[in-house]
Amino acid sequence: MDRNPSPPCSDAEEEGDAVGNTVYSKHWLFSVLTRLIEVIAPAEPDPAASPEGARTELDEEMENDICKVWDMSMDEDVALFLQEFNAPDIFMGVFAKSKCPRLTEICVGILGNMACFQDICMSISKDENLGQVLLQRLCDSDSPTLLETSRLLLTCLSQPEVANVWVERIRENPSVYDCVCFIMSSSTNVELLVKVGEVVDKLFDLDEELMLSWIKNGTCRSVGPSVDDSPEELPDFRIVPCILEAAKQVRSDNPEGLDVYMHILQLLTTVDEGIQAIVQAPDGGKDTWSLLYDLVCQELCQPDDPPIIVQEQKTVLASILSVLSAMFASQTEQEYTRMRKNMPLIGSLIRILQYMEGCGKRAVDNSKESEQEETGRTDVNEEDFHLKILKDICCELLSNMLQELTKENTLEGLHQGHLNEQTCSCAFQNLLPLYFASVESFLEVLREADQTLADNLEKRFPSLKVHT
């Protein structure tokens, strides 16, 4: 059976049966909604029902038909028809009475499609009972239902007219934090993890107070999802380890998902409490640093990649380097930030700057070629903006790390190939004049390690020679 069969058409001879300007049948839709009511409140006991009296499986015909409605609900006329006939209230009955995960998933999915239209989204969002019931779906044990619930929430949070309604509702429901953390820390469903991450990212971006409350959470016992309706106690969840666990799950299979979770971490570093949550974790931030270090040094923007790769990875790199920079500035005494372990990271930072220089030249060329094309100029300017952000973050971290180098670290960097005349010239070119003190400090150390290289760099950058 196809998951989403072709929707039925109305008979042209039945005048007035079409839904809006579509070819879909009002009568057929109404009949499906009526049968749906009968499924959750049967007049006669159903032999297929569970001992508790509720069906746990849909028969093939009903599943086929309700999947057609799911497809049809992407059309605004159909969505309005469903709204007019109180489909959300019918779905409320499904959520309250159904023991069939597939039916619950489909009904949440239909609501998610309906919420894509502004007026319907406002109606759904202002229904307090429906809002509470939908948030309870986050504690479901069924991954497809969790995915559709997350998609619905993200759709509503993306509508400026109702986003605050949902933020406030979530703030008042502590169980949402528990359920989200449970999903991030335990699920292996990459698609679900990405969508839940998008919800968290949107929430934190919309409301700093909510982010702060989630940062501070995890100090008391939590009540979380279970297979049956009885709550079960879960371990104390702390937001950072949960984010890291989800990021590790998505890193190989979904670059966009990795981008989302890195941006969540970056949002945490915009407040002092978030930085402290990262660096004062039981492991002192080691897991976070290790994951981000591996991403930069082993996976992203590698030596065998073409320089243009920095365009594709600019947002995730900016998020990662921003978190590393915040951690390095606040935890220089930690073992994992010792420079003897981080010369490869310095090499990676310089390589990113080198690749950006190549992309910058390419952008200038493209701009000249499309000077008469307004859209082309806009795209180039947007690319320039994002690359500038990445460059600023990269330079800040690099300057801080160069200031911590000793003669021994520098010799190791020279030996490993992370430091040479080409890479040092690139670093100086990008750091000067803003980070003059860092460059001057590094040059003094470099002079002890390799006098010839230091002299050559002074010749390339006369402003340094004047001050030495």
Side-chain angles (χ1 to χ4, degrees):
M1 182 189 69
D2 293 334
R3 175 181 173 83
N4 294 310
S6 299
C9 298
S10 101
D11 191 330
E13 296 179 358
E14 295 184 33
E15 186 175 352
D17 186 48
V19 177
N21 293 320
T22 74
V23 294
Y24 304 136
S25 165
K26 288 180 181 178
H27 181 268
W28 182 87
L29 266 171
F30 188 76
S31 71
V32 175
L33 293 177
T34 302
R35 286 160 55 208
L36 183 57
I37 295 172
E38 294 172 353
V39 167
I40 59 176
E44 298 291 336
D46 192 325
S50 68
E52 291 77 18
R55 297 168 64 102
T56 57
E57 299 291 339
L58 280 176
D59 64 62
E60 185 173 340
E61 181 182 1
M62 185 63 197
E63 181 172 355
N64 198 346
D65 286 346
I66 197 68
C67 276
K68 291 176 183 177
V69 177
W70 192 357
D71 261 4
M72 294 164 65
S73 62
M74 291 187 289
D75 186 288
E76 185 171 10
D77 286 336
V78 174
L80 289 169
F81 177 87
L82 293 172
Q83 177 79 357
E84 179 184 350
F85 280 86
N86 298 318
D89 289 342
I90 297 174
F91 298 153
M92 280 264 286
V94 171
F95 303 148
K97 299 178 181 179
S98 175
K99 299 293 183 181
C100 175
R102 177 65 169 150
L103 180 59
T104 302
E105 173 206 354
I106 296 170
C107 290
V108 177
I110 295 172
L111 276 175
N113 284 349
M114 293 172 65
C116 293
F117 306 105
Q118 183 177 344
D119 289 344
I120 300 176
C121 185
M122 291 180 68
S123 176
I124 291 173
S125 300
K126 291 178 180 178
D127 186 330
E128 186 61 29
N129 289 333
L130 180 57
Q132 295 294 338
V133 169
L134 288 171
L135 290 185
Q136 290 172 10
R137 294 300 91 207
L138 286 173
C139 292
D140 206 293
S141 59
D142 180 60
S143 290
T145 298
L146 289 171
L147 176 61
E148 292 307 319
T149 303
S150 301
R151 184 173 72 89
L152 170 58
L153 289 177
L154 184 62
T155 299
C156 294
L157 289 169
S158 300
Q159 297 262 10
E161 297 80 9
V162 299
N164 288 339
V165 173
W166 286 98
V167 169
E168 184 64 27
R169 189 173 285 148
I170 290 170
R171 189 189 292 121
E172 293 174 355
N173 279 268
S175 64
V176 173
Y177 170 87
D178 296 317
C179 295
V180 166
C181 285
F182 181 79
I183 294 168
M184 291 193 297
S185 62
S186 62
S187 178
T188 57
N189 185 319
V190 171
E191 189 178 5
L192 171 59
L193 288 172
V194 173
K195 194 59 65 179
V196 167
E198 290 174 344
V199 171
V200 174
D201 188 43
K202 191 68 175 178
L203 282 171
F204 286 3
D205 195 38
L206 286 170
D207 193 83
E208 185 176 294
E209 288 302 313
L210 179 101
M211 180 174 71
L212 285 168
S213 69
W214 281 25
I215 290 170
K216 297 172 184 176
N217 217 325
T219 58
C220 57
R221 299 300 296 177
S222 304
V223 175
S226 61
V227 175
D228 55 23
D229 286 336
S230 60
E232 68 176 32
E233 284 193 343
L234 294 173
D236 293 346
F237 284 120
R238 298 189 182 276
I239 191 70
V240 173
C242 295
I243 293 170
L244 291 180
E245 189 59 38
K248 292 172 185 176
Q249 285 290 332
V250 305
R251 66 186 287 187
S252 300
D253 299 324
N254 195 299
E256 292 78 13
L258 180 64
D259 199 344
V260 168
Y261 279 99
M262 294 302 100
H263 189 254
I264 295 173
L265 283 176
Q266 182 182 9
L267 287 174
L268 292 183
T269 65
T270 61
V271 294
D272 289 340
E273 292 88 344
I275 297 174
Q276 295 308 308
I278 292 172
V279 299
Q280 292 184 0
D283 64 353
K286 183 178 179 181
D287 281 352
T288 304
W289 183 275
S290 296
L291 174 62
L292 304 188
Y293 178 96
D294 283 348
L295 288 170
V296 175
C297 296
Q298 304 296 331
E299 294 187 22
L300 300 173
C301 204
Q302 294 301 292
D304 55 350
D305 289 328
I308 196 66
I309 193 70
V310 78
Q311 288 278 17
E312 179 184 333
Q313 299 174 351
K314 57 186 178 293
T315 56
V316 68
L317 282 169
S319 295
I320 292 171
L321 298 185
S322 182
V323 178
L324 287 172
S325 185
M327 294 182 70
F328 189 83
S330 62
Q331 286 287 344
T332 52
E333 75 278 5
Q334 284 288 342
E335 177 63 23
Y336 59 77
T337 60
R338 302 300 185 201
M339 295 313 306
R340 61 184 174 80
K341 294 186 175 183
N342 285 302
M343 286 310 305
L345 180 55
I346 288 181
S348 294
L349 294 175
I350 296 174
R351 181 168 59 252
I352 292 169
L353 292 173
Q354 290 174 319
Y355 284 8
M356 279 193 287
E357 287 180 351
C359 287
K361 293 175 183 176
R362 182 188 180 97
V364 170
D365 293 339
N366 288 342
S367 180
K368 290 178 180 178
E369 291 174 6
S370 60
E371 190 171 352
Q372 302 303 318
E373 300 176 14
E374 186 66 31
T375 303
R377 284 207 306 272
T378 301
D379 291 343
V380 169
N381 289 337
E382 184 178 348
E383 294 294 344
D384 285 348
F385 174 73
H386 288 294
L387 284 176
K388 184 180 184 305
I389 291 175
L390 176 57
K391 177 182 176 181
D392 291 345
I393 296 170
C394 189
C395 287
E396 180 182 6
L397 177 55
L398 180 60
S399 69
N400 287 336
M401 298 188 80
L402 288 180
Q403 280 189 311
E404 298 295 323
L405 287 177
T406 64
K407 176 183 176 181
E408 290 71 23
N409 303 148
T410 304
L411 285 169
E412 185 176 3
L414 292 167
H415 176 72
Q416 294 173 349
H418 302 302
L419 297 177
N420 53 46
E421 187 167 344
Q422 182 184 16
T423 58
C424 289
S425 294
C426 176
F428 288 12
Q429 182 69 40
N430 285 278
L431 294 177
L432 293 172
L434 184 59
Y435 297 102
F436 183 89
S438 296
V439 173
E440 189 177 42
S441 171
F442 169 64
L443 190 60
E444 287 297 320
V445 175
L446 183 61
R447 187 173 287 108
E448 297 178 24
D450 190 327
Q451 180 70 51
T452 302
L453 177 55
D455 290 343
N456 290 342
L457 290 169
E458 280 187 340
K459 292 176 183 178
R460 283 198 178 198
F461 299 91
S463 61
L464 290 171
K465 193 170 185 179
V466 171
H467 292 78
T468 55

